[in-house]
Amino acid sequence: MSDATVDPRFRRKPPKRPLRLSWSDERVRGIVYQVLVVALIGSVIYWLWSNTVHNLEVRRIATGFGFLNREAGLPIAEHLIPYDPTDTYLRALTVGVLNTLKVAVVGIVLATILGTIIGVARLSKNFLVSKIAAFYVEVIRDLPLLLQLLFWYTVMQGLPGPRQALNPVEGVFLSNRGLKLPWIVWEPAHTAALLACVVGIVLTWLYARQARAKQYADGQPRKVWPAAVALVIGLPVLTWQVMGAPWQGDWPALRGFNFQGGVNVSPEFAALLIGLVTYTAGFIAEVVRAGILSVSHGQWEAAQALGLRHGSVLRLIVMPQALRVIIPPLTSNYLNLTKNSSLAVAIGYQDIVSIANTTLNQTGQAIEGIAIIMLVYLTISLSISLFMNWYNARIALVER
């Protein structure tokens, strides 16, 4: 029925009843109940706060965040930014936050790759591949994560010492001190080249969007890879050449009881990363498998009728549709991986939890230390959720 045939009287909203100050009015009762609940919650919070402040005063425990500007005297083995024990607690906690982010970012990327491979393998028509993937998922998910972290740390500690280190490739050494890899002496030219690469990636993405829009308009495909090679590879190389093209290798070498030079992957970081990745990948694999199975089998049949190969069907047709089912639970797995990284304290990796615990033990600022840990994880989790929700909205089907 069109709007023209509807009686205008039926389009009007019903008039609102006036609010009566009477207990028989359900709206008045609702307002009173809400005020009472808010007052009760506020009273409990006030009592907890005043009781905490009183107990701290009685025990003469200082409060506030002034301790952040004091000298930490805390040694930290791994740090992404320059750090010395004479630096402040604020600097030490910043190092802890960066160490947590390093594990979270690298772990999310590797767990996504491994989980996707295992999830697809579970749907393989090859009996052996499918069963191996299923066995991996069932075993990994049924073992406690802390136990797995301790297992991998024990394996890393069981490797030979530096003098008997495994040397599978020239310049690569694996021992109970970690994995030593060759690296380069980092100079400003390398930083500039890296920034140029990031700019090239952004420009390539913009060019690809423009080329796709033009193809939709006139039906003529345009090659993107020449511009991608020029921007992503050529621009950084040109920047590096203009700034002097420095290239000095830093190779690890055994000196005394340990290796010097190169870049080191510590046993603690390796054990934590392997444990988090293998554990989370088991859950991601099931999410990927469920997402693929949610796509109608008719999509497979229609694509195969067009002559597309199995891999092309999965990559171009099935996975883009499955992402709409995969993304929401995948976000939960990313959050779990980030929060599970707090178990690093059990194997000696100095993340925000480990450093904050040491800080509150030295300063006695327990409330402030716990608050900092909560704030860090809350910020990281909300950032991941916001990004994944944005991406989920971006790929959602638009109804017309």
Side-chain angles (χ1 to χ4, degrees):
M1 181 181 293
S2 64
D3 292 343
T5 60
V6 177
D7 192 331
R9 291 176 296 176
F10 294 102
R11 287 193 242 172
R12 298 176 182 175
K13 295 182 180 179
K16 293 184 179 180
R17 290 188 297 112
L19 185 64
R20 296 183 303 162
L21 296 179
S22 172
W23 190 252
S24 60
D25 193 326
E26 60 180 9
R27 291 177 295 175
V28 172
R29 295 198 303 270
I31 294 174
V32 172
Y33 289 144
Q34 292 179 53
V35 171
L36 290 176
V37 169
V38 172
L40 178 61
I41 295 175
S43 301
V44 172
I45 293 175
Y46 175 76
W47 179 82
L48 291 173
W49 174 259
S50 59
N51 189 50
T52 302
V53 172
H54 174 71
N55 291 333
L56 291 175
E57 290 177 352
V58 169
R59 291 166 176 77
R60 296 181 179 180
I61 299 176
T63 57
F65 293 91
F67 71 96
L68 293 176
N69 295 321
R70 285 156 42 188
E71 181 180 322
L74 173 64
I76 301 178
E78 296 184 56
H79 41 84
L80 294 176
I81 59 176
Y83 174 79
D84 189 83
T86 58
D87 289 332
T88 62
Y89 282 111
L90 179 60
R91 184 80 172 184
L93 291 170
T94 303
V95 171
V97 172
L98 293 177
N99 286 346
T100 298
L101 287 174
K102 180 174 70 172
V103 172
V105 172
V106 178
I108 285 174
V109 173
L110 295 181
T112 303
I113 296 173
L114 180 60
T116 302
I117 294 174
I118 296 172
V120 173
R122 286 209 63 182
L123 299 173
S124 174
K125 296 180 180 179
N126 187 299
F127 177 83
L128 183 60
V129 173
S130 175
K131 293 305 177 183
I132 290 176
F135 177 78
Y136 172 89
V137 170
E138 296 301 328
V139 171
I140 286 294
R141 296 201 309 169
D142 290 338
L143 293 176
L145 175 57
L146 181 58
L147 180 62
Q148 296 186 43
L149 294 179
L150 294 174
F151 168 78
W152 288 112
Y153 186 63
T154 303
V155 170
M156 298 299 296
Q157 292 297 316
L159 294 172
R163 293 184 179 274
Q164 295 80 33
L166 303 177
N167 184 211
V169 182
E170 181 66 27
V172 178
F173 300 92
L174 181 62
S175 68
N176 57 11
R177 301 292 181 88
L179 177 64
K180 275 288 185 178
L181 301 169
W183 195 238
I184 60 174
V185 178
W186 197 264
E187 297 188 18
H190 300 122
T191 303
L194 181 61
L195 293 176
C197 182
V198 173
V199 172
I201 293 174
V202 174
L203 294 177
T204 300
W205 176 71
L206 294 174
Y207 178 76
R209 287 190 59 185
Q210 184 182 16
R212 193 180 304 113
K214 290 183 178 179
Q215 181 179 354
Y216 290 157
D218 56 21
Q220 297 296 325
R222 290 167 175 80
K223 294 182 179 180
V224 178
W225 69 265
V229 171
L231 293 172
V232 178
I233 299 178
L235 183 60
V237 171
L238 179 61
T239 304
W240 176 64
Q241 287 283 348
V242 170
M243 298 190 67
W247 186 265
Q248 182 180 354
D250 186 14
W251 291 74
L254 182 62
R255 296 175 185 172
F257 296 100
N258 202 355
F259 290 95
Q260 300 294 330
V263 62
N264 182 56
V265 179
S266 69
E268 294 79 13
F269 177 76
L272 178 62
L273 186 63
I274 294 173
L276 288 175
V277 168
T278 53
Y279 180 76
T280 309
F283 292 89
I284 293 179
E286 288 298 274
V287 171
V288 172
R289 184 173 73 94
I292 294 175
L293 290 177
S294 69
V295 179
S296 172
H297 189 67
Q299 299 286 325
W300 290 92
E301 295 175 343
Q304 291 170 352
L306 296 174
L308 293 177
R309 296 181 178 180
H310 185 83
S312 299
V313 176
L314 180 64
R315 180 171 57 89
L316 300 175
I317 297 175
V318 176
M319 283 304 292
Q321 299 181 67
L323 280 176
R324 299 179 177 93
V325 178
I326 292 173
I327 293 300
L330 188 64
T331 303
S332 298
N333 283 287
Y334 287 170
L335 296 177
N336 289 334
L337 186 148
T338 303
K339 291 180 288 188
N340 287 337
S341 67
S342 61
L343 294 174
V345 68
I347 58 175
Y349 180 74
Q350 292 176 296
D351 66 337
I352 182 60
V353 175
S354 176
I355 296 177
N357 282 336
T358 305
T359 299
L360 66 88
N361 286 331
Q362 291 180 350
T363 62
Q365 310 288 127
I367 296 178
E368 292 81 356
I370 298 299
I372 290 173
I373 297 175
M374 294 173 61
L375 180 62
V376 168
Y377 279 104
L378 180 63
T379 303
I380 296 175
S381 297
L382 289 177
S383 300
I384 294 174
S385 297
L386 288 174
F387 174 78
M388 295 300 292
N389 289 337
W390 168 82
Y391 182 70
N392 187 42
R394 187 174 182 273
I395 65 173
L397 289 174
V398 180
E399 297 184 0
R400 301 182 183 278

